[in-house]
Amino acid sequence: MQNHLYIFGERSTALEIYYSSKSLNFFSNIYFVVPNLSDLSMKNTIEQSNLSKSININAKSYFIASMTDTEIKKNSINIGLDAGLKLTSIINPTAHVCESANIGLGVYVAAKAVVSSRASISDNCIINCGVTVGHDVKIGEFSSLNPGVVIGGNSTIGKNVLIGANSVIKQGLKISENCKIDAMTYIYFNLKTPSACTSRNTKILKM
């Protein structure tokens, strides 16, 4: 029986998931599922309203949602489940995930990412290119770690947290749910309430 994958989204992370999925040599067909009235010029694109009619009943059909906006992602997941698709995770072959780590459903682990021993990634997270998740880290559902993020060991990241590219979370910290952390930010203290953090302290020095 063939295996089909339906990716909700059409750009950015959706394309990364597409190429990661192709390199797995597991899916015989990969489709992009997009909102109604979207540009359908891309190959293998299906409108959400036509999803149920487009599913091949003779194939095992899986799906994953690529977007970082939590509400849009939840809506996409509901559409996929209502259509009878099975939520799955995609791990790029160049990523390193320790055997003792736990990866939930709907998770995307991108190229060159590292998920260390006993780390736990909850459902519907995005672990982007070159991210390092330290040992015993716990990441809540619907969180997104942008390229180059480093999470120190024994840290806990709450639900729906967005961490910008090349940011660092010091080991052993707790980050509250719904926090937004800007790119290239060093977090060295607990964030106990939903917060927006940035490190825009650049100074121009005269030469």
Side-chain angles (χ1 to χ4, degrees):
M1 180 176 285
Q2 293 184 335
N3 299 301
H4 292 184
L5 176 66
Y6 297 81
I7 302 170
F8 280 77
E10 57 187 315
R11 298 182 178 88
S12 187
T13 305
L15 292 173
E16 290 185 26
I17 294 174
Y18 172 80
Y19 289 112
S20 293
S21 303
K22 282 191 66 176
S23 63
L24 296 174
N25 295 317
F26 178 76
F27 300 105
S28 52
N29 287 288
I30 303 173
Y31 304 94
F32 295 97
V33 182
V34 300
N36 298 335
L37 304 178
S38 292
D39 179 11
L40 300 181
S41 61
M42 185 182 294
K43 185 180 179 181
N44 292 343
T45 302
I46 299 170
E47 285 189 333
Q48 289 180 2
S49 59
N50 293 323
L51 178 59
S52 296
K53 295 182 289 185
S54 303
I55 295 173
N56 187 332
I57 61 173
N58 296 315
K60 290 185 177 180
S61 298
Y62 303 85
F63 81 102
I64 186 169
S66 69
M67 55 287 295
T68 57
D69 184 291
T70 299
E71 293 308 312
I72 296 176
K73 194 167 194 171
K74 286 181 178 179
N75 182 61
S76 297
I77 291 169
N78 289 334
I79 292 172
L81 293 174
D82 288 344
L85 303 177
K86 183 178 181 180
L87 187 62
T88 192
S89 295
I90 300 295
I91 300 175
N92 186 283
T94 67
H96 177 72
V97 178
C98 287
E99 292 184 4
S100 59
N102 180 62
I103 305 295
L105 291 175
V107 174
Y108 173 53
V109 182
K112 305 296 184 179
V114 175
V115 181
S116 301
S117 60
R118 299 183 302 277
S120 178
I121 312 295
S122 298
D123 295 349
N124 303 304
C125 289
I126 295 176
I127 309 300
N128 229 307
C129 301
V131 167
T132 298
V133 178
H135 66 86
D136 299 288
V137 166
K138 295 178 174 60
I139 299 180
E141 60 183 349
F142 293 100
S143 289
S144 296
L145 279 55
N146 284 346
V149 165
V150 176
I151 308 294
N154 288 304
S155 294
T156 299
I157 310 298
K159 299 177 182 178
N160 191 33
V161 171
L162 175 63
I163 304 180
N166 298 311
S167 291
V168 176
I169 309 298
K170 185 176 178 288
Q171 66 183 28
L173 296 185
K174 293 184 178 181
I175 307 300
S176 172
E177 62 184 30
N178 300 316
C179 283
K180 309 299 179 188
I181 297 172
D182 199 7
M184 302 183 70
T185 299
Y186 177 56
I187 301 296
Y188 55 92
F189 49 85
N190 294 327
L191 298 178
K192 298 181 180 180
T193 58
S195 307
C197 299
T198 184
S199 58
R200 299 291 178 85
N201 297 320
T202 304
K203 294 181 180 180
I204 300 176
L205 303 176
K206 293 183 178 180
M207 300 295 291

